[in-house]
Amino acid sequence: MLDDSCVSVRREEERMLHRVDLTPKDPDLYRRVVDAKVIAELERLAAPLQGARVLQVNATAYGGGVSTLLRSLVPLYRGLGLDVDWRVMPGTPDFFAVTKGLHNALQGAAFDLTPERRELYLSHNREVAAALGGEGRYDLVVVHDPQPAAIRHFSDGVGARWVWRCHIDTSHPDPAALAFLEPLVAQYDALVYTMDAFVPAELRGRPLRIIAPAIDPLSPKSLPLPAELIAGIVEWAGVSLDRPLISQISRFDPWKDPLGVIEVFRRVRERVPGVQLALVGQMALDDPQGWAMLRQIQDETRDDDDIHVLTNFTGIDDVGVNAFQRASSVVLQKSIREGFGLVVSESLWKGTPVVAGRTGGIPMQMPEGVGGYLVDTAEECVERTVELLRDRAAAARLGEAGRRHVREHFLITRLLADELRLLGSLC
Ligand code: UDP
Protein backbone atom coordinates (compact mmCIF):
# COMPACT_ATOMS: atom_id res chain seq x y z
CA MET A 1 0.00 0.00 0.00
CA LEU A 2 1.17 3.54 -0.68
CA ASP A 3 1.77 5.67 2.38
CA ASP A 4 0.83 9.36 2.44
CA SER A 5 4.27 10.60 1.38
CA CYS A 6 4.25 8.34 -1.70
CA VAL A 7 0.81 9.60 -2.62
CA SER A 8 1.90 13.22 -2.34
CA VAL A 9 5.05 12.54 -4.43
CA ARG A 10 2.85 10.95 -7.08
CA ARG A 11 0.45 13.93 -7.02
CA GLU A 12 3.43 16.26 -7.46
CA GLU A 13 4.68 14.21 -10.44
CA GLU A 14 1.24 14.42 -12.00
CA ARG A 15 1.46 18.20 -11.87
CA MET A 16 5.03 18.55 -13.13
CA LEU A 17 5.85 19.07 -16.77
CA HIS A 18 8.64 16.68 -17.56
CA ARG A 19 11.45 18.32 -19.56
CA VAL A 20 12.92 16.09 -22.25
CA ASP A 21 16.61 16.89 -22.34
CA LEU A 22 18.20 16.30 -25.70
CA THR A 23 21.65 17.15 -26.97
CA PRO A 24 21.87 19.53 -29.96
CA LYS A 25 22.44 17.74 -33.25
CA ASP A 26 24.51 19.28 -36.03
CA PRO A 27 22.30 19.67 -39.15
CA ASP A 28 25.47 19.23 -41.25
CA LEU A 29 25.24 15.50 -40.47
CA TYR A 30 22.30 15.39 -42.90
CA ARG A 31 24.67 16.05 -45.80
CA ARG A 32 24.85 12.25 -45.86
CA VAL A 33 21.33 12.19 -47.25
CA VAL A 34 20.46 15.64 -48.62
CA ASP A 35 22.15 18.30 -50.69
CA ALA A 36 24.37 20.88 -48.95
CA LYS A 37 22.05 23.66 -50.12
CA VAL A 38 19.21 22.15 -48.04
CA ILE A 39 21.33 22.62 -44.91
CA ALA A 40 22.28 26.16 -45.93
CA GLU A 41 18.57 26.96 -46.33
CA LEU A 42 17.87 25.67 -42.81
CA GLU A 43 20.57 27.96 -41.44
CA ARG A 44 19.14 30.91 -43.36
CA LEU A 45 15.62 30.22 -42.04
CA ALA A 46 16.87 29.82 -38.47
CA ALA A 47 18.76 33.12 -38.43
CA PRO A 48 15.78 35.42 -37.62
CA LEU A 49 14.75 33.10 -34.77
CA GLN A 50 18.06 33.29 -32.90
CA GLY A 51 17.46 34.46 -29.35
CA ALA A 52 13.75 33.55 -29.35
CA ARG A 53 12.55 31.14 -26.61
CA VAL A 54 10.45 28.35 -28.09
CA LEU A 55 8.46 25.70 -26.22
CA GLN A 56 7.06 22.47 -27.65
CA VAL A 57 4.39 20.74 -25.53
CA ASN A 58 2.86 17.30 -26.12
CA ALA A 59 1.50 14.44 -24.02
CA THR A 60 4.16 11.75 -24.17
CA ALA A 61 7.92 11.48 -24.53
CA TYR A 62 7.52 7.94 -25.77
CA GLY A 63 5.27 6.11 -28.19
CA GLY A 64 3.46 7.21 -31.34
CA GLY A 65 4.33 9.59 -34.12
CA VAL A 66 4.38 12.93 -32.27
CA SER A 67 7.08 11.93 -29.80
CA THR A 68 9.02 10.35 -32.68
CA LEU A 69 8.92 13.67 -34.54
CA LEU A 70 9.88 15.80 -31.54
CA ARG A 71 12.68 13.40 -30.60
CA SER A 72 14.32 14.19 -33.94
CA LEU A 73 13.26 17.82 -34.44
CA VAL A 74 14.21 19.31 -31.07
CA PRO A 75 17.93 18.34 -31.28
CA LEU A 76 18.04 19.78 -34.80
CA TYR A 77 16.46 23.07 -33.71
CA ARG A 78 19.09 23.21 -30.98
CA GLY A 79 21.83 22.30 -33.46
CA LEU A 80 20.78 25.37 -35.43
CA GLY A 81 21.42 27.44 -32.30
CA LEU A 82 17.77 27.93 -31.34
CA ASP A 83 16.52 27.92 -27.76
CA VAL A 84 13.86 25.17 -27.96
CA ASP A 85 12.43 23.37 -24.94
CA TRP A 86 10.30 20.21 -25.07
CA ARG A 87 7.92 19.67 -22.16
CA VAL A 88 5.63 16.69 -21.69
CA MET A 89 2.24 17.17 -20.15
CA PRO A 90 1.69 14.86 -17.19
CA GLY A 91 -1.61 13.06 -16.74
CA THR A 92 -3.51 10.48 -14.74
CA PRO A 93 -4.95 7.34 -16.38
CA ASP A 94 -8.40 8.96 -16.09
CA PHE A 95 -7.20 12.07 -17.90
CA PHE A 96 -5.63 10.05 -20.72
CA ALA A 97 -8.76 7.90 -20.98
CA VAL A 98 -10.71 11.12 -21.63
CA THR A 99 -8.15 12.49 -24.09
CA LYS A 100 -8.03 9.18 -26.00
CA GLY A 101 -11.85 9.29 -26.18
CA LEU A 102 -11.64 12.87 -27.44
CA HIS A 103 -8.96 11.86 -29.98
CA ASN A 104 -11.19 9.00 -31.20
CA ALA A 105 -14.22 11.30 -31.39
CA LEU A 106 -12.26 13.83 -33.45
CA GLN A 107 -11.48 10.97 -35.85
CA GLY A 108 -15.19 10.18 -36.03
CA ALA A 109 -15.94 7.63 -33.26
CA ALA A 110 -18.75 8.01 -30.75
CA PHE A 111 -17.68 9.33 -27.35
CA ASP A 112 -19.87 10.76 -24.65
CA LEU A 113 -18.12 13.93 -23.57
CA THR A 114 -20.01 14.16 -20.29
CA PRO A 115 -19.82 17.29 -18.08
CA GLU A 116 -17.52 15.32 -15.70
CA ARG A 117 -15.14 14.40 -18.53
CA ARG A 118 -15.09 17.99 -19.83
CA GLU A 119 -14.33 19.19 -16.33
CA LEU A 120 -11.52 16.65 -15.86
CA TYR A 121 -9.98 17.69 -19.18
CA LEU A 122 -10.26 21.41 -18.49
CA SER A 123 -9.17 21.36 -14.86
CA HIS A 124 -6.09 19.30 -15.70
CA ASN A 125 -5.16 21.66 -18.53
CA ARG A 126 -5.66 24.56 -16.10
CA GLU A 127 -3.20 22.95 -13.64
CA VAL A 128 -0.64 22.31 -16.35
CA ALA A 129 -0.97 25.90 -17.56
CA ALA A 130 -0.39 27.11 -14.00
CA ALA A 131 2.74 24.93 -13.73
CA LEU A 132 3.99 26.37 -17.03
CA GLY A 133 3.51 29.85 -15.65
CA GLY A 134 6.50 29.25 -13.38
CA GLU A 135 8.83 28.69 -16.34
CA GLY A 136 9.14 32.27 -17.49
CA ARG A 137 7.95 33.68 -20.76
CA TYR A 138 8.31 32.02 -24.15
CA ASP A 139 8.21 33.83 -27.48
CA LEU A 140 6.56 30.90 -29.20
CA VAL A 141 4.65 27.94 -27.81
CA VAL A 142 3.78 25.00 -30.07
CA VAL A 143 1.13 22.69 -28.62
CA HIS A 144 0.59 19.27 -30.17
CA ASP A 145 -2.77 17.50 -30.47
CA PRO A 146 -5.88 17.70 -28.26
CA GLN A 147 -4.44 16.55 -24.91
CA PRO A 148 -2.82 19.91 -23.97
CA ALA A 149 -4.89 22.07 -26.38
CA ALA A 150 -6.65 24.00 -23.58
CA ILE A 151 -3.48 25.22 -21.89
CA ARG A 152 -3.48 28.23 -24.18
CA HIS A 153 -6.92 29.19 -22.80
CA PHE A 154 -5.63 29.07 -19.22
CA SER A 155 -2.21 30.65 -19.81
CA ASP A 156 -1.77 34.32 -19.26
CA GLY A 157 1.64 35.60 -20.19
CA VAL A 158 3.34 32.21 -20.77
CA GLY A 159 3.75 32.68 -24.50
CA ALA A 160 3.68 35.62 -26.85
CA ARG A 161 2.53 33.60 -29.86
CA TRP A 162 0.82 30.20 -29.89
CA VAL A 163 0.62 27.44 -32.50
CA TRP A 164 -1.69 24.41 -32.30
CA ARG A 165 -0.39 21.46 -34.31
CA CYS A 166 -3.06 18.87 -35.10
CA HIS A 167 -1.64 15.47 -36.08
CA ILE A 168 -4.89 13.55 -36.37
CA ASP A 169 -7.45 13.03 -39.11
CA THR A 170 -10.21 15.48 -38.26
CA SER A 171 -11.98 15.26 -41.61
CA HIS A 172 -15.05 13.47 -40.15
CA PRO A 173 -15.20 14.57 -36.51
CA ASP A 174 -17.97 13.86 -34.04
CA PRO A 175 -19.79 17.25 -33.97
CA ALA A 176 -19.93 17.42 -30.15
CA ALA A 177 -16.18 16.81 -29.81
CA LEU A 178 -15.39 19.42 -32.43
CA ALA A 179 -17.77 21.95 -30.84
CA PHE A 180 -15.95 21.44 -27.53
CA LEU A 181 -12.45 21.84 -28.96
CA GLU A 182 -13.11 24.55 -31.55
CA PRO A 183 -13.33 27.59 -29.18
CA LEU A 184 -10.17 26.38 -27.41
CA VAL A 185 -8.03 26.11 -30.54
CA ALA A 186 -9.53 29.21 -32.15
CA GLN A 187 -7.51 31.18 -29.58
CA TYR A 188 -4.20 30.17 -31.18
CA ASP A 189 -2.27 32.50 -33.48
CA ALA A 190 -1.77 29.75 -36.04
CA LEU A 191 -3.12 26.26 -36.67
CA VAL A 192 -1.16 23.57 -38.45
CA TYR A 193 -2.76 20.55 -40.11
CA THR A 194 -1.25 17.71 -42.11
CA MET A 195 -3.79 18.03 -44.94
CA ASP A 196 -6.25 20.63 -46.08
CA ALA A 197 -9.03 18.01 -45.94
CA PHE A 198 -8.53 17.76 -42.15
CA VAL A 199 -9.37 21.43 -41.49
CA PRO A 200 -12.90 21.74 -40.05
CA ALA A 201 -15.09 24.38 -41.74
CA GLU A 202 -15.46 26.16 -38.37
CA LEU A 203 -11.70 26.90 -38.30
CA ARG A 204 -11.23 27.88 -41.94
CA GLY A 205 -11.02 31.58 -41.19
CA ARG A 206 -8.07 31.15 -38.79
CA PRO A 207 -4.40 31.58 -39.81
CA LEU A 208 -3.58 28.15 -41.14
CA ARG A 209 -0.63 26.14 -42.48
CA ILE A 210 -0.58 22.72 -44.08
CA ILE A 211 2.60 20.87 -43.12
CA ALA A 212 3.11 17.13 -43.58
CA PRO A 213 5.23 15.19 -41.08
CA ALA A 214 8.45 13.47 -42.12
CA ILE A 215 10.91 10.78 -41.08
CA ASP A 216 14.42 11.12 -39.75
CA PRO A 217 16.74 9.08 -41.97
CA LEU A 218 19.52 9.29 -39.36
CA SER A 219 17.44 8.01 -36.43
CA PRO A 220 17.96 4.45 -35.14
CA LYS A 221 14.62 3.62 -36.73
CA SER A 222 15.82 4.48 -40.23
CA LEU A 223 19.64 4.26 -40.27
CA PRO A 224 21.13 1.75 -42.69
CA LEU A 225 21.64 -1.59 -40.91
CA PRO A 226 24.04 -4.40 -41.79
CA ALA A 227 22.29 -7.54 -43.08
CA GLU A 228 23.73 -9.59 -40.23
CA LEU A 229 22.16 -7.31 -37.61
CA ILE A 230 18.77 -7.35 -39.37
CA ALA A 231 18.83 -11.14 -39.53
CA GLY A 232 20.01 -11.44 -35.94
CA ILE A 233 17.24 -9.24 -34.54
CA VAL A 234 14.43 -10.83 -36.54
CA GLU A 235 15.57 -14.38 -35.74
CA TRP A 236 15.99 -13.47 -32.08
CA ALA A 237 12.34 -12.39 -32.10
CA GLY A 238 11.40 -15.88 -33.29
CA VAL A 239 10.81 -15.18 -36.97
CA SER A 240 12.26 -17.57 -39.57
CA LEU A 241 14.48 -16.02 -42.23
CA ASP A 242 13.64 -18.84 -44.64
CA ARG A 243 9.99 -17.86 -45.02
CA PRO A 244 8.35 -14.64 -46.27
CA LEU A 245 7.37 -12.08 -43.65
CA ILE A 246 4.52 -9.56 -43.56
CA SER A 247 4.55 -6.93 -40.80
CA GLN A 248 2.37 -4.21 -39.43
CA ILE A 249 4.23 -1.84 -37.14
CA SER A 250 1.81 0.35 -35.19
CA ARG A 251 0.35 1.25 -31.86
CA PHE A 252 -2.36 -1.27 -30.95
CA ASP A 253 -5.23 0.97 -31.86
CA PRO A 254 -8.61 0.20 -33.45
CA TRP A 255 -7.96 2.82 -36.18
CA LYS A 256 -4.93 0.77 -37.30
CA ASP A 257 -7.18 -2.34 -37.52
CA PRO A 258 -4.75 -4.98 -36.16
CA LEU A 259 -7.56 -7.56 -35.96
CA GLY A 260 -8.29 -6.89 -39.63
CA VAL A 261 -4.59 -7.47 -40.35
CA ILE A 262 -4.77 -10.90 -38.68
CA GLU A 263 -7.78 -11.81 -40.81
CA VAL A 264 -6.02 -10.65 -43.99
CA PHE A 265 -2.89 -12.58 -43.02
CA ARG A 266 -4.83 -15.82 -42.55
CA ARG A 267 -6.38 -15.46 -45.99
CA VAL A 268 -2.98 -14.67 -47.54
CA ARG A 269 -1.51 -17.76 -45.85
CA GLU A 270 -4.06 -19.99 -47.60
CA ARG A 271 -2.52 -18.87 -50.90
CA VAL A 272 1.11 -18.37 -49.88
CA PRO A 273 1.93 -21.21 -47.50
CA GLY A 274 4.76 -20.58 -45.06
CA VAL A 275 4.20 -16.83 -44.78
CA GLN A 276 4.59 -15.28 -41.32
CA LEU A 277 3.08 -12.17 -39.72
CA ALA A 278 4.73 -9.81 -37.24
CA LEU A 279 2.51 -7.35 -35.37
CA VAL A 280 4.99 -4.95 -33.83
CA GLY A 281 3.45 -2.45 -31.45
CA GLN A 282 4.63 0.26 -29.17
CA MET A 283 2.79 0.98 -25.94
CA ALA A 284 2.47 4.78 -25.85
CA LEU A 285 2.33 6.32 -22.39
CA ASP A 286 -0.74 8.42 -23.22
CA ASP A 287 -2.70 5.57 -24.84
CA PRO A 288 -4.51 3.44 -22.23
CA GLN A 289 -6.58 1.79 -24.97
CA GLY A 290 -3.44 0.04 -26.28
CA TRP A 291 -3.34 -2.47 -23.43
CA ALA A 292 -6.89 -3.70 -23.96
CA MET A 293 -6.24 -4.00 -27.67
CA LEU A 294 -3.01 -5.94 -27.03
CA ARG A 295 -4.91 -8.45 -24.86
CA GLN A 296 -7.49 -8.91 -27.62
CA ILE A 297 -4.71 -9.54 -30.18
CA GLN A 298 -2.99 -12.00 -27.84
CA ASP A 299 -6.24 -13.90 -27.33
CA GLU A 300 -6.80 -14.05 -31.07
CA THR A 301 -3.27 -15.25 -31.92
CA ARG A 302 -2.33 -17.44 -28.93
CA ASP A 303 -2.56 -20.73 -30.87
CA ASP A 304 -1.13 -19.45 -34.14
CA ASP A 305 2.64 -19.99 -34.36
CA ASP A 306 2.92 -18.06 -37.61
CA ILE A 307 1.90 -14.80 -35.93
CA HIS A 308 4.43 -12.94 -33.78
CA VAL A 309 3.10 -10.23 -31.47
CA LEU A 310 6.03 -8.07 -30.39
CA THR A 311 6.36 -4.87 -28.39
CA ASN A 312 8.92 -2.55 -26.86
CA PHE A 313 8.35 -4.57 -23.66
CA THR A 314 9.57 -7.72 -25.40
CA GLY A 315 12.69 -6.03 -26.73
CA ILE A 316 11.65 -4.52 -30.07
CA ASP A 317 13.05 -1.02 -29.79
CA ASP A 318 13.74 1.50 -32.57
CA VAL A 319 16.53 -0.58 -34.12
CA GLY A 320 14.21 -3.58 -33.90
CA VAL A 321 11.49 -1.68 -35.81
CA ASN A 322 14.11 -0.74 -38.40
CA ALA A 323 15.12 -4.40 -38.76
CA PHE A 324 11.50 -5.56 -39.18
CA GLN A 325 10.77 -2.88 -41.77
CA ARG A 326 13.84 -4.04 -43.72
CA ALA A 327 13.29 -7.80 -43.30
CA SER A 328 9.62 -7.76 -44.36
CA SER A 329 8.60 -8.75 -47.87
CA VAL A 330 5.56 -6.50 -47.49
CA VAL A 331 4.59 -4.00 -44.79
CA LEU A 332 0.88 -3.56 -44.16
CA GLN A 333 -0.71 -0.41 -42.77
CA LYS A 334 -4.37 -1.35 -42.83
CA SER A 335 -5.55 1.89 -41.22
CA ILE A 336 -9.16 3.02 -41.23
CA ARG A 337 -8.19 6.58 -40.21
CA GLU A 338 -4.64 7.88 -40.21
CA GLY A 339 -3.33 11.39 -39.51
CA PHE A 340 -0.19 10.67 -41.51
CA GLY A 341 1.29 7.27 -40.73
CA LEU A 342 5.04 7.75 -40.34
CA VAL A 343 5.44 3.98 -40.61
CA VAL A 344 4.55 4.17 -44.31
CA SER A 345 7.42 6.54 -45.15
CA GLU A 346 9.72 4.65 -42.78
CA SER A 347 9.09 1.40 -44.68
CA LEU A 348 9.33 3.01 -48.12
CA TRP A 349 12.63 4.64 -47.15
CA LYS A 350 13.96 1.09 -46.78
CA GLY A 351 12.64 0.14 -50.22
CA THR A 352 10.03 -2.17 -48.66
CA PRO A 353 6.68 -2.09 -50.50
CA VAL A 354 3.56 -1.22 -48.52
CA VAL A 355 -0.10 -2.22 -48.79
CA ALA A 356 -2.09 0.42 -46.95
CA GLY A 357 -5.58 1.71 -46.31
CA ARG A 358 -6.56 4.57 -48.61
CA THR A 359 -7.11 7.03 -45.81
CA GLY A 360 -5.89 10.30 -44.30
CA GLY A 361 -2.23 11.08 -44.87
CA ILE A 362 -1.32 7.71 -46.42
CA PRO A 363 -2.18 8.41 -50.12
CA MET A 364 0.15 11.41 -50.29
CA GLN A 365 3.00 9.05 -49.39
CA MET A 366 1.98 6.50 -52.03
CA PRO A 367 0.76 8.11 -55.25
CA GLU A 368 -0.35 5.73 -58.03
CA GLY A 369 2.47 3.35 -58.96
CA VAL A 370 4.72 4.45 -56.10
CA GLY A 371 5.57 2.45 -53.00
CA GLY A 372 2.90 -0.25 -53.20
CA TYR A 373 -0.88 -0.34 -53.23
CA LEU A 374 -3.68 1.58 -51.56
CA VAL A 375 -6.66 -0.57 -50.69
CA ASP A 376 -10.28 0.02 -49.67
CA THR A 377 -11.34 -3.46 -48.58
CA ALA A 378 -9.93 -6.57 -46.87
CA GLU A 379 -10.29 -8.49 -50.18
CA GLU A 380 -8.12 -5.95 -51.99
CA CYS A 381 -5.63 -6.05 -49.14
CA VAL A 382 -5.35 -9.85 -49.51
CA GLU A 383 -5.05 -9.66 -53.33
CA ARG A 384 -2.38 -6.96 -53.35
CA THR A 385 -0.35 -8.61 -50.61
CA VAL A 386 -0.37 -11.96 -52.43
CA GLU A 387 0.59 -10.15 -55.65
CA LEU A 388 3.62 -8.52 -54.01
CA LEU A 389 4.69 -11.74 -52.29
CA ARG A 390 4.62 -13.57 -55.63
CA ASP A 391 6.12 -10.92 -57.92
CA ARG A 392 9.28 -9.89 -56.13
CA ALA A 393 10.59 -7.86 -59.09
CA ALA A 394 7.45 -5.68 -59.14
CA ALA A 395 7.64 -5.38 -55.34
CA ALA A 396 11.25 -4.16 -55.57
CA ARG A 397 10.36 -1.61 -58.28
CA LEU A 398 7.48 -0.20 -56.23
CA GLY A 399 9.64 -0.07 -53.09
CA GLU A 400 12.41 1.76 -54.91
CA ALA A 401 9.96 4.33 -56.34
CA GLY A 402 8.65 4.77 -52.78
CA ARG A 403 12.14 5.46 -51.49
CA ARG A 404 12.65 8.17 -54.14
CA HIS A 405 9.30 9.75 -53.25
CA VAL A 406 10.18 9.84 -49.54
CA ARG A 407 13.58 11.37 -50.32
CA GLU A 408 11.87 14.14 -52.23
CA HIS A 409 8.96 14.92 -49.90
CA PHE A 410 9.12 13.31 -46.48
CA LEU A 411 12.56 13.76 -44.94
CA ILE A 412 12.91 15.70 -41.73
CA THR A 413 14.96 18.48 -43.33
CA ARG A 414 11.87 19.48 -45.38
CA LEU A 415 9.69 19.42 -42.26
CA LEU A 416 12.18 21.50 -40.31
CA ALA A 417 12.31 24.10 -43.10
CA ASP A 418 8.49 24.32 -43.15
CA GLU A 419 8.36 24.78 -39.38
CA LEU A 420 11.12 27.41 -39.39
CA ARG A 421 9.18 29.37 -42.01
CA LEU A 422 6.05 29.21 -39.86
CA LEU A 423 7.81 30.23 -36.62
CA GLY A 424 9.72 32.97 -38.45
CA SER A 425 6.44 34.38 -39.77
CA LEU A 426 5.04 34.57 -36.22
CA CYS A 427 8.06 36.00 -34.48
N1 UDP B 1 6.62 2.54 -33.60
C1 UDP B 1 7.67 2.05 -32.86
N2 UDP B 1 7.57 0.80 -32.32
C2 UDP B 1 6.50 0.04 -32.53
C3 UDP B 1 5.41 0.54 -33.30
C4 UDP B 1 5.51 1.81 -33.82
O1 UDP B 1 8.68 2.72 -32.67
O2 UDP B 1 6.46 -1.09 -32.03
C5 UDP B 1 6.77 3.89 -34.18
C6 UDP B 1 6.74 3.90 -35.68
O3 UDP B 1 7.97 3.42 -36.17
C7 UDP B 1 6.44 5.35 -35.97
C8 UDP B 1 5.55 5.75 -34.78
O4 UDP B 1 5.75 4.76 -33.77
O5 UDP B 1 7.62 6.11 -35.95
C9 UDP B 1 4.10 5.76 -35.14
O6 UDP B 1 3.79 6.89 -35.88
P1 UDP B 1 2.59 6.93 -36.90
O7 UDP B 1 2.55 8.28 -37.49
O8 UDP B 1 2.72 5.80 -37.88
O9 UDP B 1 1.28 6.60 -36.04
P2 UDP B 1 0.70 7.20 -34.64
O10 UDP B 1 1.11 6.21 -33.60
O11 UDP B 1 1.27 8.55 -34.43
O12 UDP B 1 -0.77 7.17 -34.85
Side-chain angles (χ1 to χ4, degrees), residues 52-105:
R53 272 193 95 201
V54 182
L55 174 66
Q56 305 269 353
V57 184
N58 81 319
T60 177
Y62 184 77
V66 180
S67 62
T68 301
L69 287 171
L70 288 171
R71 175 64 187 82
S72 287
L73 280 170
V74 172
L76 276 172
Y77 274 119
R78 292 186 182 161
L80 287 164
L82 303 185
D83 180 1
V84 178
D85 257 358
W86 173 13
R87 292 299 185 103
V88 175
M89 171 192 229
T92 59
D94 285 349
F95 173 75
F96 286 133
V98 170
T99 56
K100 186 70 200 286
L102 182 58
H103 169 113
N104 288 342

Side-chain angles (χ1 to χ4, degrees), residues 37-206:
K37 62 179 192 272
V38 172
I39 314 296
E41 174 71 352
L42 291 176
E43 282 159 1
R44 190 187 68 75
L45 291 168
L49 287 159
Q50 298 294 337
R53 272 193 95 201
V54 182
L55 174 66
Q56 305 269 353
V57 184
N58 81 319
T60 177
Y62 184 77
V66 180
S67 62
T68 301
L69 287 171
L70 288 171
R71 175 64 187 82
S72 287
L73 280 170
V74 172
L76 276 172
Y77 274 119
R78 292 186 182 161
L80 287 164
L82 303 185
D83 180 1
V84 178
D85 257 358
W86 173 13
R87 292 299 185 103
V88 175
M89 171 192 229
T92 59
D94 285 349
F95 173 75
F96 286 133
V98 170
T99 56
K100 186 70 200 286
L102 182 58
H103 169 113
N104 288 342
L106 290 166
Q107 295 214 131
F111 178 62
D112 188 4
L113 204 48
T114 60
E116 294 72 28
R117 288 172 170 162
R118 287 166 196 246
E119 178 49 30
L120 174 61
Y121 173 80
L122 291 172
S123 62
H124 189 63
N125 268 263
R126 191 186 298 117
E127 273 189 36
V128 170
L132 259 185
E135 300 291 325
R137 192 173 166 78
Y138 288 92
D139 298 292
L140 289 157
V141 184
V142 184
V143 175
H144 296 262
D145 276 345
Q147 299 94 323
I151 62 174
R152 198 265 168 272
H153 177 70
F154 295 113
S155 295
D156 270 337
V158 170
R161 311 281 276 163
W162 291 74
V163 177
W164 187 58
R165 203 322 174 192
C166 180
H167 294 270
I168 59 183
D169 176 350
T170 44
S171 54
H172 302 89
D174 171 70
L178 182 64
F180 173 67
L181 199 68
E182 191 263 326
L184 298 170
V185 299
Q187 299 170 21
Y188 283 76
D189 299 293
L191 305 176
V192 181
Y193 284 84
T194 297
M195 292 175 67
D196 188 66
F198 293 171
V199 183
E202 293 80 347
L203 291 166
R204 286 260 167 213
R206 308 292 315 159

Side-chain angles (χ1 to χ4, degrees), residues 62-66 68-69 103 167-168 213 215 221 248-253 256 279-284 310-312 316-318 321 325 333 338-344 346:
Y62 184 77
V66 180
T68 301
L69 287 171
H103 169 113
H167 294 270
I168 59 183
I215 63 157
K221 223 177 272 181
Q248 175 155 305
I249 295 150
S250 280
R251 282 182 300 106
F252 296 123
D253 179 308
K256 318 269 185 191
L279 284 169
V280 184
Q282 197 180 41
M283 310 310 291
L310 303 159
T311 71
N312 46 312
I316 303 302
D317 58 4
D318 285 5
V321 166
Q325 286 169 337
Q333 190 55 44
E338 191 62 76
F340 181 69
L342 284 172
V343 280
V344 172
E346 284 168 7

Side-chain angles (χ1 to χ4, degrees), residues 60 64-65 255 285 313 339 370:
T60 177
W255 299 113
L285 300 178
F313 289 107
V370 174

Side-chain angles (χ1 to χ4, degrees), residues 30 51-52 61 133 144 161 196 200 236 262 292 299 311 315 345 353 370 381 416:
Y30 286 77
H144 296 262
R161 311 281 276 163
D196 188 66
W236 172 79
I262 293 168
D299 287 345
T311 71
S345 279
V370 174
C381 194
L416 187 56

